[in-house]
Each structure stands twice: as C-alpha cells, then as structure tokens.
Amino acid sequence: MSPMLPKRPKKTQPDNETVNETANETVNETVAPEDVLPPLGGTSAADEPAAPTPADATTGDRGTTAPGTGAADTTAAAPAQPDPQPEQPDPQPEQPAPPAPDMSGAIEALAAGRHQQPHDLLGQHLEGGGLRVRVFRPMARSVVVRFEDGERLELHHEAHGVWTGVREGCDRTMDYRVHVAYDDGIEHEQDDPYRFAPTLGEVDRHLIGEGRHEQLWTVLGAHVREYDGPMGSVRGTSFAVWAPHARAVHVIGDFNGWDPIRHPMRLLGESGVWELFIPGVGEGNRYKYEIRGSDDSVRSKADPMAQATEVPPATGSVVTRSQYEWSDDAWMERRRTNDPHSGPMSIYEVHLGSWRQGHSYRDLAEHLVNYVSDLGFTHVEFLPVMEHPYGPSWGYQVTGYYAPTARFGSPDDFRYLVDRLHQAGIGVILDWVPAHFPRDAWALAKFDGQALYEHPDPRRGDQPDWGTHIFDFGRMQVRNFLVANAIYWLEEFHVDGLRVDAVASMLYLDYSRQEGQWLPNQYGGRENLEAIGLLQETNATTYKRVPGIVTVAEESTSWPGVTRATSGGGLGFGLKWNMGWMNDSLRYIGQDPVHRQYHHNLLTFSLMYAYSENYVLPISHDEVVHGKGSLLRKIPGSRYDQLATLRAYLAYIWTHPGKQLLFMGSEFAQEAEWADGRELDWWLLDHPAHYRIHNLVKELNRIYRTNPALWALDSSPAGFEWLNADDNAGNTFSYLRFGAEDRQSGPVVAVVVNFSGMAHDRMRIGVPRPGRWKVVLDTSGFDEFGTPSQADVVVEAQEHPADNQPYSVEVRVAPLSSVWLAPVEEPAIAGSVQEQVSASRQED
C-alpha cells in the first residue's frame, strides 16, 4: 500500500502516457495486416480473437527470462492480491503490504530494469476473481483506472512503483485510461503501453528470423500509428529493435525524461526483436534504446533503423513520418521501362556540404537542380547522405543507414530534392557503404553487448585502414539489414541508383592485411564468400524489385564478372568504375607534352579490356583531394597549356567507351584541390578562362545526349574502332564511335585528340562513308581569347582511303585540342576544314 497523504483538490488535465504535454499530435496511417492491429478492449473470457487482445498481449510471445530475474514466475492469470488496508485519515501512512511471493521477483526485475516480458506483469489480465490491472508509475501519489463503461478502479501501490487492483466480477478485457497524480497536484490522464498487442505479426518475425524481410524498415524502428477503440482513437509510436543477445531493452527519450527503466520492451519469442507501443509519442520526439547487454553492461544506443536523427554532433534518433506527395510520376514511369545501362549517362558527382555551404536540401532543390540542368548532365551522384557523425568522413562512416543526414533538413526535404531533380530530367545516384561502419559506442558497435553487426573475430571484423568495423556478412539478419537498406533508398526516396563504395575491401579477406592477420575461407582461399553472397543478393533483389535502377561498383582490382549477371556467377552490378583507366589517363596528362610519346600506351591500353565489364569513367572526389591537387593542377606547363590540355582531356573522356563521371568543380577548372570544409571557388566563373571550360562541359553534354554513337554501344566492341592508335610521335589519338551495329547507316562520330604542343594543320582522318561531315566540336574554340572555332564547318569526304577506311577528310587539329566530326545532310562546302578556316580569316 502506498503512503497516503491528505487529499488535495484535483485538477483534471488530459495527458499522454509519458506526461509529455508537448508531444506532437501527428500520427501515421493505421497498419493494415490483421496480425498487427492491436485490438482495444471489449474481449470476453470466452472470445477467441485472431490476434492477442490487450489483456493477453504477450500470449504466445513470451521469451526466456534473464537468469535470476524471477520474471519467469509471472503469468497472465496471476492470483488476486490481498486487499489494501483502508485509508486512514492520519497523514502518516501505513507501510504497504508486500507483494505476493509469486510477483515479488518479477516486480524487482522490472524495477531493476531486467524484465524481458513486462507485458506479462503489466497491463490487464483476466484471473479467477475478475480483471486485474497493473501499471508501473514510479513517484506517483495515487493511480486510478477509468474503464470504457465509466467505472473507476483505484489501484494500490504494490512495490517499487508498481500499482495494481482487481475489478471484481469482470469477465472481459476493456479499453481503459490511467489517471495518475504526482506531486504537481494535477491528475494526469494517460494511456497504458502494456495493454497493446505486438505490432509485429508472426510472418514479419519469421522473415526477420530468416533474414529475408525485404521491407525491414516497415516493421523495425519507430513508426507513428493510430488505433481506434471504445474510448476514442489512440495515437502513439511503436518501437521495435533487433537485439538478440540483450538481457533487457528500454525505450528512453525526451517523452519520459530519458528514464532508463520507465518503458521496458518485450522480447518477441525467439526472433531477437524487442517491441513496445507508447501512446502519445509522435513525430519529432527524440529517443534511444537503453540496452542491457549480454555482458550485463547498459548502453544507450541510437536506433539502427531510425529514419531521422538529430543534427550531429547530437546522436539521438527522431520519430518521423513522411507526408511527402511526389510529383515525379512521369520520370518513374520512364524509369520502369528504360534501360539505363544502354542509355546516355553523364554524372555530376556532388558533396552536398561543400557544393555551396549553408544550403539546405530545399536550397539545393533550386540552385543545384538549375545548375546541373543547365550543364546538361543526365545524373547527379551524391557522396553518402546517410547520417554520419564526423563531417570530414564525407559520409563514408555511416551510423544512420536509414536516415538522410539532418545537417541539411528533414527526410521529406531530401525527398523534395530528389523530386525536383526528376522533374528536371536528372537521375539520382547515391553512394552506399555496406563495407564497414564506425566504432562509435552509441551506434552499431557491440550493439547488444557483443559483436552483432560486426564480425566477432577482429581478423574479419576490423578494417585496419579506416579504424572501422566490418559487417558480419555471414549473419543472415545483418545481410537482411543491408539488402533492405538498398531497397529502402530506391523505393522510399525514388533514388535511381546506388554506387557501392569500397567493393574491393569486401571481396578479399586479406585486403590491407599482412600474413597472419587474416583468416582464409572454408576452402583456404582469400575470397570473402559471405561478402560475395551479400553483393549478389543485393544486386539480384534490387534489380528485380525496382526495374530501371542501376548499381555501380567502385572496385579497383581485376575481379572477374563484376557486371556479369548473378545467374552466370557474376556479382550482378550494372556498372563498374574503371579505376585502371582513371589512373592511366591521369598519369598521361601529368606528363609534359614532349614526354608523352613515351607513355602513349597509357591511353591505348584501356581499349584492351574496355568490354570486359560495363564501365564508368570516374574523375571522382578521391582524385582531387589529400595533396593530389585539382584536375587542372595535375597538368604541367603554362597556364594556357593546362587549360588547353584540360579541354582536350574532357573531350577525350566524353568519347571513350563507358559512362562518364566528373566531380564538382572540375567543370570550371577549380584551381585548388577540394576541401570538404569550404565551398567551391565559384568566383572563378567570373574569369573567361574558367567560364569557357564551363561552356565546354555544357557543349560536351549537349552533343553527347543527342548522339547515340557516344553511348549506345559503350559495352560492345561494335561501338568503337581505332583509326590510328600508334601516333605516339605526334601524341594524337583518332577513333570512331558507332551507335548501331549497322555502321553504314547508323550514328557515327569521328574523334581526333591532340595531346602535343604542335598543331596538325592538314591531318587526314579516315571515315567509313562518303558524303558531308561536320565538325561538331573543336575544343580550341573554348579558350579565353575567342579563338575562331571550326565547329559547324562542313567538309566533303573524299574517296581517299586512310586509317583502314574507304574515305577520308582533312582537318586542322590545334595544339592540345580535340575535334569531333559527324555525317550531316547539309549542302556540301567544298574544300578541307583548313581551307575554309583560312578563307574565312582572309575575308575578315
């Protein structure tokens, strides 16, 4: 019996269960499956409901109880407790009667934060004498239950903040509310979390147990829900977390004063999932899980499945519910029917925090979208937007895999950015990091007291290069966490592709390890068979579930079959970054022109393996940081030579087989190397030399997007033919790109790139067909001096065999420049390009 003090005048004030008067009232839509809906009240002892009633919320879901807790003695049919002694007018209270022996252990476990099945003890339970209600309200002065029929039941204090009472003669469970008085003199009306059935059904728990729940985010994490009942609708949030080794789990948050014992969760059978629905908690509330681990230590952990977070450096999870209405139906319909692998793909890589500092997702939805649209890129690729605690990691050390970083706004704000990009005709690719995660104590590391998400053996579970943990790819629930995460971004945020980071570190067990620091696989080899299985499952599942998307591997070795279908033993990626081409081509332009003849093979070698995979040609963030210098500053020579070489190099990239990717800033020849702590040097666009590079990239994309010869057969040898691959003395490369198997009538572009400091005034170029050919690009015309360009000049192909072609044309190729030609239907203009330009200059 609780201490009885003189009664105070009561004030009635509706309150949620957590005494949080400011909880957001926004709620989620009611969950539909019949095995998930928690029914409220109205169940008689003779009824046989399809789902557990509130009174029997844990029936069939009891798990094992931690040793020594006494909770195993608790049953739904616990006998009635002795009646409390009558209230005395004397303000000095009598001591409460001790709890019945069969309850004392469970109550002590509850108060100590060790109870695994709080719903067996708390809530409403039918027993021989009627309906027993038991609630946990530490610090309360009095507790009264009001039932749906208006009856009120005064509870007595049993022990350790547990209050109980029996409604005699009641043979069914009911909807009810709890009225609690504290020292504030106000009677708070609350709902009881422990009268609700589990929000996860049997099928969900089965799929989680087998690691096959492809929509894991819909059942784990925090979800705002609303349920109807005899006493009105109930709004709150269900919490569910996978922690199979935990001895007890509690929800803590701003709605309960971060109290570590107030809201214990129940363990659902053998699934390893802990669950609790808390009425009154809504969108915007912050929370974590207080986990008593297998080592008996208690840790506060962010929700691995949280869909929103606090702004770093704060580490709390945030309850959220999307209210976004998409406007990209036309884009999504095209995505379902198009094949991105055989279409144009020109990617602009962006680090959101340093593109323009201070911009939110919604700011970027205006300025970034307009900028990329003007430049003509087909896609943007964002460095990881998943939540991460350390900004200088660029997002590659993820702690919130299901939450867009709160640095730039809400999840719906990020949806708005994706939506606006789609409306502008621009696809969105996200960098995704399933290889490793940071060791932050509040995140995934030792989540339930021992290695859970990470491999337990440091020879497989630690990443020496980055000081992070490696996922346990062999644990099915961990694999499920990652596969579902990939699907989550593609489906929930309409993302069009995922670029998987650090694939090589996943494939090899000895990656960055010395002899004796790694464990071989079951066959004695160095291949990580579990990681291979994860990548194959991720690719096969995403391509099946979300037609029209693309997955891209950042894989730096010669692992075979990266882009081969999983049915053929490949990893199943759609595209692979061509790291070899990137390294070789950057080495080439880093040579002085006079020495490039000795490194000619650096640009020809890539065509020896160009069709072994489906490639992306990446000039990424990794190449313009950490002392490597900007793309412009990698090039030797005078400033004029640097700019000219960069223009020629960009034209070369856009015509090489494969999709192309360019990191932000390189499109206007950023002088300084990239730094994540400051924005790009936008003032450079006020200088003609840099603005003309910007114009060139815009023109490259315009021609590229409208000419299938530059992308339709990227992964087929039929799409490329050398004209002259052996002019090392002249530092020139010439070749043809084809857009159809029929080379006589399909799209074709002839390309010449001159990386020497000398002009080739009358260079004869072989072409495959007669007729008129037009110069569609001349990079020499994009300098800061307004040099006359040969663009749009048309020449007649002569029946003069050259470069193993039956016809040829003559062109002038300026120093450090590139010229593109394509057949046209316009009237012929007699003479070579050189003659036309000379005549034009004489007329001027």
Side-chain angles (χ1 to χ4, degrees):
M1 183 174 181
S2 64
M4 301 301 296
L5 300 178
K7 297 193 178 208
R8 302 182 182 180
K10 292 185 178 179
K11 301 176 185 178
T12 300
Q13 174 176 309
D15 192 9
N16 65 28
E17 186 282 330
T18 59
V19 199
N20 175 21
E21 299 176 11
T22 61
N24 194 308
E25 292 297 321
T26 307
V27 298
N28 204 348
E29 299 172 357
T30 303
V31 177
E34 62 180 8
D35 59 349
V36 175
L37 287 177
L40 300 175
T43 305
S44 71
D47 289 337
E48 296 182 2
T53 69
D56 304 314
T58 57
T59 301
D61 294 307
R62 297 188 181 110
T64 57
T65 304
T69 65
D73 297 329
T74 305
T75 66
Q81 301 303 309
D83 291 334
Q85 296 186 13
E87 178 181 344
Q88 302 296 325
D90 189 335
Q92 298 299 323
E94 296 183 6
Q95 294 299 318
D102 60 335
M103 290 285 103
S104 59
I107 292 176
E108 289 175 3
L110 180 75
R114 294 177 175 273
H115 206 306
Q116 292 188 339
Q117 297 296 333
H119 293 71
D120 284 359
L121 174 66
L122 303 175
Q124 57 179 335
H125 301 271
L126 290 168
E127 56 182 53
L131 179 65
R132 177 175 292 279
V133 178
R134 185 179 279 112
V135 299
F136 185 44
R137 294 295 186 277
M139 306 303 292
R141 295 173 60 87
S142 66
V143 181
V144 175
V145 171
R146 178 172 60 89
F147 292 97
E148 64 183 62
D149 60 3
E151 289 292 318
R152 293 172 68 91
L153 174 66
E154 186 169 349
L155 307 187
H156 70 268
H157 183 247
E158 200 167 8
H160 301 299
V162 175
W163 299 70
T164 189
V166 176
R167 180 171 173 175
E168 300 290 346
C170 185
D171 62 354
R172 68 184 182 92
T173 60
M174 295 187 184
D175 197 355
Y176 65 90
R177 299 293 183 270
V178 183
H179 292 250
V180 186
Y182 296 94
D183 285 336
D184 58 4
I186 300 173
E187 185 179 82
H188 301 268
E189 182 179 272
Q190 305 170 354
D191 207 335
D192 184 6
Y194 300 96
R195 71 182 184 90
F196 292 90
T199 53
L200 278 80
E202 292 287 351
V203 173
D204 288 323
R205 280 138 54 190
H206 173 76
L207 292 174
I208 291 171
E210 292 199 344
R212 295 191 296 110
H213 204 303
E214 293 180 359
Q215 291 183 302
L216 194 64
W217 68 91
T218 64
V219 292
L220 297 185
H223 297 278
V224 181
R225 304 184 189 275
E226 181 175 4
Y227 304 116
D228 292 327
M231 298 181 72
S233 64
V234 179
R235 299 169 179 173
T237 298
S238 64
F239 297 90
V241 62
W242 179 64
H245 306 125
R247 296 185 175 181
V249 182
H250 293 70
V251 183
I252 60 175
D254 56 7
F255 43 84
N256 63 11
W258 303 93
D259 188 333
I261 63 170
R262 180 66 178 279
H263 286 113
M265 307 178 77
R266 64 176 148 205
L267 179 61
L268 298 179
E270 299 179 354
S271 65
V273 175
W274 300 75
E275 182 270 347
L276 182 65
F277 174 76
I278 305 181
V281 176
E283 185 176 4
N285 281 128
R286 296 171 295 139
Y287 72 98
K288 284 188 175 181
Y289 297 116
E290 191 88 347
I291 298 178
R292 182 176 294 278
S294 58
D295 57 358
D296 209 39
S297 295
V298 178
R299 300 170 176 85
S300 295
K301 292 286 190 177
D303 188 349
M305 302 295 298
Q307 297 181 28
T309 68
E310 293 184 281
V311 179
T315 59
S317 304
V318 177
V319 178
T320 187
R321 180 190 63 157
S322 177
Q323 302 181 48
Y324 190 75
E325 296 183 4
W326 291 90
S327 300
D328 63 347
D329 292 348
W331 171 273
M332 296 298 286
E333 182 58 33
R334 288 195 301 271
R335 186 176 88 172
R336 279 188 287 270
T337 57
N338 289 344
D339 179 8
H341 310 85
S342 60
M345 185 175 292
S346 182
I347 307 167
Y348 184 62
E349 190 186 29
V350 180
H351 177 256
L352 292 178
S354 59
W355 187 75
R356 281 193 184 273
Q357 282 192 320
H359 271 36
S360 67
Y361 290 131
R362 289 189 174 266
D363 294 330
L364 292 162
E366 178 183 355
H367 300 137
L368 177 64
V369 171
N370 290 340
Y371 183 78
V372 175
S373 183
D374 177 67
L375 280 173
F377 285 97
T378 65
H379 292 72
V380 293
E381 180 176 316
F382 294 144
L383 273 63
V385 301
M386 302 80 182
E387 193 58 271
H388 52 283
Y390 185 52
S393 75
W394 312 333
Y396 290 99
Q397 295 197 8
V398 179
T399 51
Y401 274 81
Y402 285 79
T405 178
R407 290 170 173 85
F408 313 119
S410 70
D412 276 357
D413 291 337
F414 182 67
R415 287 182 173 92
Y416 178 70
L417 172 57
V418 175
D419 199 355
R420 285 292 307 275
L421 285 161
H422 284 173
Q423 292 174 48
I426 300 166
V428 180
I429 300 171
L430 296 186
D431 279 12
W432 185 54
V433 192
H436 61 111
F437 61 90
R439 303 184 182 211
D440 298 74
W442 51 268
L444 297 178
K446 289 190 175 179
F447 188 75
D448 59 1
Q450 63 188 69
L452 182 64
Y453 287 90
E454 67 271 36
H455 197 285
D457 192 317
R459 290 172 293 180
R460 289 194 182 179
D462 291 348
Q463 218 298 326
D465 289 344
W466 306 307
T468 53
H469 284 311
I470 299 172
F471 281 103
D472 186 353
F473 303 116
R475 187 188 291 269
M476 296 307 297
Q477 293 88 348
V478 173
R479 181 181 292 190
N480 192 176
F481 173 82
L482 293 170
V483 174
N485 185 241
I487 299 169
Y488 171 75
W489 291 100
L490 298 169
E491 292 188 349
E492 293 292 324
F493 290 89
H494 291 198
V495 167
D496 304 293
L498 297 173
R499 174 264 195 188
V500 183
D501 181 66
V503 171
S505 74
M506 301 172 67
L507 295 176
Y508 299 98
L509 294 168
D510 62 346
Y511 186 88
S512 290
R513 297 180 188 275
Q514 301 300 318
E515 188 69 30
Q517 296 179 345
W518 60 281
L519 291 177
N521 62 34
Q522 65 193 71
Y523 305 109
R526 59 197 284 254
E527 299 82 7
N528 191 332
L529 303 181
E530 290 81 7
I532 295 168
L534 166 74
L535 294 172
Q536 290 176 323
E537 182 180 354
T538 300
N539 286 317
T541 306
T542 53
Y543 274 105
K544 179 180 179 180
R545 283 187 63 104
V546 196
I549 58 92
V550 62
T551 60
V552 187
E554 186 216 13
E555 204 285 309
S556 55
T557 74
S558 57
W559 184 280
V562 173
T563 58
R564 187 188 308 145
T566 56
S567 59
L571 296 182
F573 284 95
L575 298 168
K576 172 185 174 177
W577 274 21
N578 194 334
M579 310 293 281
W581 166 89
M582 178 269 297
N583 284 310
D584 287 348
S585 66
L586 290 178
R587 281 180 58 200
Y588 181 84
I589 65 170
Q591 305 295 323
D592 190 278
V594 73
H595 297 139
R596 286 176 184 156
Q597 60 181 313
Y598 306 112
H599 303 275
H600 196 76
N601 65 307
L602 291 176
L603 292 196
T604 58
F605 180 67
S606 61
L607 272 301
M608 301 295 291
Y609 61 86
Y611 314 107
S612 61
E613 303 279 4
N614 304 326
Y615 282 116
V616 174
L617 312 175
I619 302 298
S620 73
H621 61 281
D622 279 328
E623 309 316 314
V624 293
V625 73
H626 294 327
K628 296 180 182 179
S630 67
L631 185 57
L632 180 69
R633 293 301 186 183
K634 296 178 185 294
I635 302 169
S638 66
R639 179 178 175 79
Y640 180 89
D641 288 348
Q642 289 177 324
L643 291 165
T645 302
L646 178 57
R647 293 192 297 268
Y649 181 61
L650 292 172
Y652 158 74
I653 295 173
W654 258 251
T655 56
H656 190 286
K659 317 305 181 183
Q660 62 270 358
L661 175 144
L662 191 67
F663 184 60
M664 64 182 197
S666 299
E667 79 277 10
F668 59 79
Q670 169 101 3
E671 297 273 2
E673 72 173 19
W674 174 57
D676 64 271
R678 62 182 181 86
E679 71 176 26
L680 299 180
D681 294 332
W682 293 106
W683 54 271
L684 288 173
L685 287 172
D686 293 331
H687 295 260
H690 294 272
Y691 188 72
R692 292 295 285 162
I693 297 284
H694 177 276
N695 284 354
L696 172 63
V697 171
K698 184 175 180 178
E699 182 67 1
L700 292 174
N701 280 327
R702 184 193 68 80
I703 300 171
Y704 171 80
R705 295 180 70 158
T706 57
N707 199 317
L710 298 176
W711 45 262
L713 297 177
D714 273 332
S715 300
S716 170
F720 180 92
E721 182 177 349
W722 280 113
L723 292 175
N724 190 344
D726 301 319
D727 185 21
N728 57 310
N731 291 352
T732 68
F733 304 83
S734 56
Y735 44 89
L736 298 170
R737 291 298 311 276
F738 296 94
E741 297 286 344
D742 182 4
R743 294 187 171 189
Q744 294 305 311
S745 60
V748 60
V749 173
V751 179
V752 184
V753 187
N754 178 16
F755 281 114
S756 76
M758 303 290 292
H760 295 265
D761 288 328
R762 300 182 67 92
M763 186 171 184
R764 182 166 293 278
I765 304 297
V767 292
R769 66 184 71 154
R772 306 171 185 86
W773 289 73
K774 181 170 70 174
V775 177
V776 295
L777 180 79
D778 179 3
T779 63
S780 68
F782 286 87
D783 64 10
E784 60 189 297
F785 305 110
T787 299
S789 172
Q790 301 177 81
D792 295 330
V793 171
V794 178
V795 295
E796 187 78 23
Q798 302 170 6
E799 195 171 351
H800 187 302
D803 301 324
N804 292 320
Q805 301 298 317
Y807 305 93
S808 63
V809 297
E810 282 190 347
V811 295
R812 180 182 189 274
V813 186
L816 306 173
S817 73
S818 178
V819 172
W820 302 356
L821 299 99
V824 294
E825 297 298 329
E826 298 175 3
I829 301 178
S832 69
V833 172
Q834 173 63 27
E835 292 170 343
Q836 295 173 54
V837 172
S838 298
S840 175
R841 289 175 176 172
Q842 291 175 1
E843 292 175 1
D844 292 341

